[in-house]
Amino acid sequence: MRAKISALMDGELEGSELAASLAAIGARDGEAYEAWCLYHIVGDALCGTRPLSEAFNARFAQRLAAEPTVLAPAAARAQPERRRWIALSAAASIAAAALVGWLSLAPQGGVGTAPVQIAQAPVRAAPPMAVAAAAKAPARVPLPREADDYLLAHQSYSLRSSLQGMMPYVRTVAVENVAGRP
Amino acid sequence: MTRAGVLLFARTLGAALAASATLAHAQTSSDALAWLRKIYQATQRLSYTGTFVYQRGDETEASRIVHVAGTGTGIEKLEALDGARREIVRTRDTVQSYLPDARTLKVDRRTVGPRDRGRGFPAMLPERLSGLARNYTVSFGDTARIAGYECREVVLRPNDRYRYGYRLWADRRSGMLLKARTFNAKGETLEQFTFTQLRIGPVPRGEVRVRPVPPGWRVEDSSVQPVDLAAEGWRVDADLPGFEKVAEVKRKLRATHLVDQVVYSDGMAAVSVFIEPMPAAAAEVHPGLSRTGATNIYTREVADHLVTVVGEAPAVSVQRIGDSVEYHPPH
């Protein structure tokens, strides 16, 4: 398993091996998790990175939980040849998040000696306000079937048509084409 | 002076001061406003034939347009050259859409209310042009040559996020509009109309003759009537700066069902709110936002009715007007 984790950290795992290793780490105990932590400490030591403060994880987790949930459409299934790239970019994002966390939190706490642990990302509902805001954003929907009828009815009152003559009327034609109707 | 007279005078003075303060703040040039007025007059006064291109995203559509000027008898014809066949003929108070593929003629009659009796078909009153200065900063842009005409550009920059901006290019000599572009807050072009060919001058009236309805065609008359939505229990409170209610009517849509329509305008952009009973095929209704060119459409259900807001204004404006719609059963 240690070899797998080592390969994972080098970005060399793909497919089911990648999934299995991540699941093993995610289980948070046993060989895989220990190896993951150990290798990171070794890596940090080699690179001369200072350990984070003891309270870093707790504060990071707290701030992360307070972040509004971003409701994004499900990502398209990644192609096998792109997996590695995605893994790398994910690593880059984590690195960026860690850097930001470091910059904003480091000055506040003392430098401890506790081993670096993976931040416990709690799966929690976003605060009510964020949910409300997200619910208020309307869905993007296709044009209504009667769009051209509405447009035509609207056009008669559009004051722009006084300046542009009949030009804006052509929009109703264009809509009809989009909708693929006769 | 009577007390009422004094009050009226004070109010008028106040309004004038407020208007001039807004003008000064917006740095709208009065020359540019006068130029807008000239463009408006040119579209009414000139006879012309031409071809223009409508662009939206990477799509383009060419159309032919003919306008025969005449006091109260002006007539205009638009013919789509690309895509679905369609011909629209507009006179002072009717718009007729000929749809050969659907063998349908749609007739839209404009109500002539007491307030706009005697006005030309286009609802824009020249005095509204000065109202524009409250919502847009109107200034001159560069000069450009379009379809062989030396044009002067006038730019309408929105004073807030509730409207789009416009660039209009018009012939330096006649004021005839050659190109019109709508842009959003990021400066991106949403849609554009450009004449590729234009001839200004007398046009034989035969070119725009209203033809009789071909046999076998369906005629859909909109039968527009004034209506009082508040009396029916509807409340539309367009809490949008600069937008005022300009029309409130009941009309037929596709000759089958009645729809209420309230129109708001800021002098340039207009937003219509359509209210109708929820259609039988309610599954086909998708609440949410959609967009075509500079037109945003917002659909929502209120009290078992379908509310559709259509306007050449940013999504935020269209949605805000739509969300203000409420129904309180009349007593």
Side-chain angles (χ1 to χ4, degrees):
Chain A
M1 191 39 123
R2 289 187 168 225
K4 288 263 173 64
I5 301 300
S6 176
L8 169 71
M9 285 179 60
D10 291 336
E12 284 166 359
L13 282 196
E14 289 188 349
S16 56
E17 281 187 321
L18 175 69
S21 302
L22 287 175
I25 297 168
R28 295 198 168 269
D29 53 46
E31 196 189 0
Y33 182 61
E34 274 171 24
W36 172 264
C37 293
L38 182 66
Y39 287 161
H40 272 93
I41 294 168
V42 172
D44 286 347
L46 287 172
C47 298
T49 309
R50 292 192 306 168
L52 295 171
S53 70
E54 250 174 318
F56 175 85
N57 284 334
R59 283 200 306 263
F60 183 81
Q62 204 178 356
R63 290 203 172 193
L64 189 63
E67 288 282 318
T69 301
V70 178
L71 297 176
R77 207 169 275 276
Q79 296 302 307
E81 64 270 21
R82 294 185 62 196
R83 287 238 171 110
R84 170 119 184 216
W85 182 82
I86 287 164
L88 287 176
S89 68
S93 326
I94 291 166
L99 181 64
V100 170
W102 171 255
L103 290 176
S104 59
L105 300 172
Q108 298 162 12
V111 177
T113 51
V116 177
Q117 292 184 355
I118 297 171
Q120 300 192 356
V123 181
R124 235 195 277 170
M129 263 182 64
V131 171
K136 224 172 167 269
R140 284 280 162 187
V141 294
L143 286 172
R145 260 170 52 86
E146 300 80 10
D148 58 332
D149 287 300
Y150 291 126
L151 273 172
L152 204 60
H154 170 69
Q155 209 62 71
S156 323
Y157 295 95
S158 176
L159 303 186
R160 271 175 74 195
S161 58
S162 316
L163 273 176
Q164 294 180 219
M166 276 190 88
M167 285 199 280
Y169 271 91
V170 77
R171 289 188 289 203
T172 58
V173 183
V175 164
E176 204 145 36
N177 284 342
V178 167
R181 295 170 60 208
Chain B
M1 203 182 275
T2 64
R3 192 182 144 82
V6 171
L7 270 177
L8 182 66
F9 173 74
R11 221 179 286 162
T12 315
L13 181 69
L17 282 175
S20 63
T22 316
L23 277 173
H25 172 69
Q27 292 177 325
T28 283
S29 104
S30 56
D31 285 355
L33 267 185
W35 181 242
L36 265 188
R37 186 167 282 118
K38 179 158 181 174
I39 297 174
Y40 165 76
Q41 286 161 352
T43 23
Q44 318 289 308
R45 198 170 41 78
L46 300 173
S47 292
Y48 56 85
T49 58
T51 306
F52 73 89
V53 170
Y54 170 62
Q55 274 172 277
R56 178 191 59 199
D58 49 10
E59 294 169 54
T60 58
E61 295 251 351
S63 301
R64 201 176 115 79
I65 194 163
V66 181
H67 181 248
V68 179
T71 327
T73 57
I75 183 166
E76 212 169 350
K77 189 173 92 171
L78 176 99
E79 192 187 342
L81 298 177
D82 297 332
R85 283 192 293 163
R86 176 174 282 200
E87 207 176 291
I88 305 174
V89 178
R90 182 168 85 165
T91 61
R92 202 178 95 92
D93 43 28
T94 64
V95 176
Q96 295 181 298
S97 308
Y98 294 84
L99 311 166
D101 298 340
R103 296 167 73 80
T104 303
L105 168 64
K106 293 184 185 193
V107 185
D108 192 22
R109 288 176 217 283
R110 194 177 126 73
T111 48
V112 181
R115 282 172 70 195
D116 47 20
R117 201 182 298 280
R119 307 257 191 210
F121 172 78
M124 182 186 255
L125 318 175
E127 55 263 37
R128 281 227 178 92
L129 283 174
S130 9
L132 272 181
R134 276 194 295 275
N135 303 316
Y136 300 88
T137 302
V138 188
S139 58
F140 281 117
D142 297 330
T143 55
R145 190 160 165 275
I146 299 158
Y149 291 85
E150 290 297 330
C151 291
R152 191 174 201 189
E153 179 193 359
V154 61
V155 188
L156 287 88
R157 284 198 178 78
N159 288 345
D160 56 35
R161 67 195 179 105
Y162 297 116
R163 54 212 102 233
Y164 290 135
Y166 302 90
R167 288 176 187 278
L168 307 169
W169 287 264
D171 174 29
R172 292 184 73 94
R173 285 177 52 214
S174 63
M176 175 66 197
L177 189 71
L178 266 295
K179 183 170 167 177
R181 178 187 292 170
T182 309
F183 60 92
N184 65 11
K186 289 183 217 154
E188 297 161 340
T189 299
L190 297 172
E191 63 181 17
Q192 180 169 291
F193 302 89
T194 319
F195 271 101
T196 52
Q197 179 269 322
L198 176 72
R199 193 182 67 80
I200 301 173
V203 178
R205 233 187 143 76
E207 286 216 30
V208 280
R209 203 182 309 121
V210 181
R211 51 185 170 116
V213 185
W217 277 43
R218 207 154 71 101
V219 179
E220 296 180 358
D221 197 313
S222 67
S223 315
V224 176
Q225 295 292 328
V227 72
D228 182 3
L229 274 173
E232 292 184 6
W234 289 102
R235 192 181 299 163
V236 185
D237 178 20
D239 180 25
L240 273 186
F243 279 86
E244 285 170 30
K245 185 155 72 180
V246 293
E248 191 169 315
V249 296
K250 195 180 271 293
R251 63 163 64 238
K252 271 189 193 163
L253 214 62
R254 270 156 292 131
T256 46
H257 57 288
L258 286 168
V259 180
D260 290 322
Q261 180 183 11
V262 193
V263 189
Y264 292 89
S265 176
D266 70 347
M268 190 67 182
V271 179
S272 281
V273 182
F274 296 94
I275 303 174
E276 65 205 280
M278 206 61 185
E284 288 179 14
V285 173
H286 305 286
L289 261 176
S290 50
R291 185 168 80 90
T292 165
T295 306
N296 277 294
I297 301 178
Y298 178 59
T299 307
R300 167 174 183 244
E301 194 187 328
V302 180
D304 219 22
H305 280 68
L306 176 63
V307 173
T308 310
V309 189
V310 176
E312 53 273 14
V316 58
S317 304
V318 169
Q319 196 195 337
R320 204 152 145 179
I321 292 182
D323 284 340
S324 80
V325 177
E326 287 175 18
Y327 179 70
H328 302 280
H331 301 295

